[in-house]
Amino acid sequence: MATALTHDQCDFERYKGPQLQALIEDNQVIGQLPVHDTRFLSCAEFVQKYEKTNKPVLIQNCHLDWPAANWRFDSFEAEYGPYLFALYNGQQFSLSEYLQYAQGRAIHDLQPLYLFDDLSKLSPTDDCPKSQILNSYTVPKYFCDDLFTLDPVHLEFEPPVERPRYRWIIIGPPRSGTCLHIDPVGTSAWNTVLLGHKRWVLFPPNTNTSVIQRDGLTAEQWFIQVLPLLDKVETGLIEFTQGPGDTLFVPQGLVITF
C-alpha cells in the first residue's frame, strides 16, 4: 500500500511570452528517468534541463524536513481516522474504514479502490482537522512559482481559466491505479511518495492514444496485457517505479498511468 501527495500547477517559464531511503549518488537513471538528489540540483538547472524542455525527472529527498516524512498508517489513522476521505470515484469513507478495506478485502477485489482526496479548497489555517495535512509538508523549491496563484486578470489564457482542482492525498493498495489520462488545462504536476511504491508509465505529448488504450481494462489488466506489447522506441514510453522519498515532476501534456 502506498501514500502520496500530489499537486498540479501552472509553470512560469513555460508561459512567459515551470520509510525514507538512503541518499544516492546524484544524477542516476531509474529505468529511463533521470534522477537527482535535491541537494545537488539547483532551481536554475531544473528549469533549464526539465521545465523548459518539458521532460520528467525524479528528485530525491525533497521531503526530509516534512512532518509527513514520519507518517505511518497507524499514526495517520490515529490522527485522521474518524474523518471522511473521498475515493477516486467520489464515494466517501472514514479513513479508518478505508484502511480496513485496503488492508483486507482489497486483496481479493478485481479493481481495488484507491483514496484520492481533494485538498484543493482547504487552507492551512482552516478550523478543520484535515487542514493540518497541509502543514505536514512544504512545496519543493522547484515548484514554488505558480501562475495560478496570480490574479486571473494577469493570466494570458483566453478565455480566462478557473484554477482546476490541484492538491490531493492518495492512498492505494497493491494493484490499484488510474486509467490513461492527461492532466487538465496545460498543468504540470509534482508527486511525492511517502510510503510504498508507485509504478508509472509516461507517454509523450500528442501520443496516438488509440495505439496504447484498451477500453474496459482495469489498471492492473492494462499493465499485464497491453504494456508488454508496446514498442518503447516507437511509443516513446518511459516506465519506472517511484519509491519512498521520491518526488516526480510530470510536465504538461504527457499521457500518464500509475
Side-chain angles (χ1 to χ4, degrees):
M1 189 157 63
T3 301
L5 295 163
T6 186
H7 278 233
D8 285 349
Q9 66 180 50
C10 193
D11 304 306
F12 274 105
E13 292 297 330
R14 184 174 300 111
Y15 289 103
K16 272 184 176 177
Q19 226 126 172
L20 307 176
Q21 64 184 56
L23 297 177
I24 65 166
E25 182 180 349
D26 190 44
N27 205 18
Q28 297 188 53
V29 174
I30 291 181
Q32 303 164 38
L33 191 72
V35 182
H36 293 268
D37 189 302
T38 188
R39 299 174 304 169
F40 308 115
L41 180 67
S42 69
C43 291
E45 185 179 4
F46 167 78
V47 169
Q48 291 299 319
K49 284 188 173 181
Y50 303 109
E51 186 178 299
K52 283 187 173 181
T53 59
N54 214 51
K55 294 180 179 178
V57 62
L58 205 64
I59 308 171
Q60 299 190 316
N61 301 311
C62 293
H63 73 314
L64 292 179
D65 60 351
W66 296 359
N70 298 313
W71 282 352
R72 298 296 181 268
F73 288 115
D74 55 353
S75 61
F76 193 66
E77 182 180 9
E79 188 162 359
Y80 299 104
Y83 305 111
L84 293 178
F85 286 75
L87 305 183
Y88 68 93
N89 60 11
Q91 290 180 281
Q92 291 190 329
F93 296 90
S94 72
L95 179 66
S96 292
E97 290 174 324
Y98 176 76
L99 291 178
Q100 183 179 13
Y101 159 80
Q103 295 169 352
R105 201 189 82 195
I107 298 173
H108 308 288
D109 277 1
L110 175 64
Q111 187 172 1
L113 303 172
Y114 61 91
L115 185 152
F116 196 80
D117 193 61
D118 182 12
L119 305 175
S120 304
K121 294 185 178 180
L122 293 180
S123 166
T125 59
D126 286 347
D127 185 20
C128 168
K130 284 171 59 177
S131 67
Q132 292 309 305
I133 295 174
L134 305 184
N135 293 314
S136 298
Y137 71 96
T138 54
V139 175
K141 60 186 178 183
Y142 312 103
F143 314 120
C144 290
D145 289 342
D146 186 350
L147 282 175
F148 279 121
T149 62
L150 298 178
D151 188 292
V153 299
H154 298 297
L155 299 181
E156 298 179 3
F157 293 112
E158 189 61 42
V161 175
E162 181 180 352
R163 179 168 199 157
R165 296 180 299 164
Y166 68 100
R167 184 165 57 199
W168 295 269
I169 182 169
I170 306 170
I171 301 176
R175 301 184 299 110
S176 62
T178 72
C179 60
L180 293 165
H181 65 280
I182 300 173
D183 287 339
V185 199
T187 54
S188 300
W190 63 268
N191 178 291
T192 299
V193 166
L194 300 171
L195 294 167
H197 294 79
K198 290 179 68 173
R199 187 180 179 191
W200 292 77
V201 177
L202 310 178
F203 294 92
N206 304 316
T207 293
N208 181 356
T209 56
S210 66
V211 175
I212 61 176
Q213 181 70 283
R214 299 293 186 276
D215 294 334
L217 297 183
T218 67
E220 179 188 25
Q221 290 168 338
W222 186 91
F223 273 92
I224 293 173
Q225 298 178 26
V226 179
L227 180 59
L229 303 178
L230 299 178
D231 186 296
K232 291 187 177 182
V233 175
E234 180 181 325
T235 61
L237 72 85
I238 299 175
E239 180 186 2
F240 60 95
T241 298
Q242 181 186 16
D246 293 344
T247 295
L248 174 66
F249 169 63
V250 183
Q252 64 91 19
L254 269 66
V255 182
I256 63 178
T257 185
F258 56 81

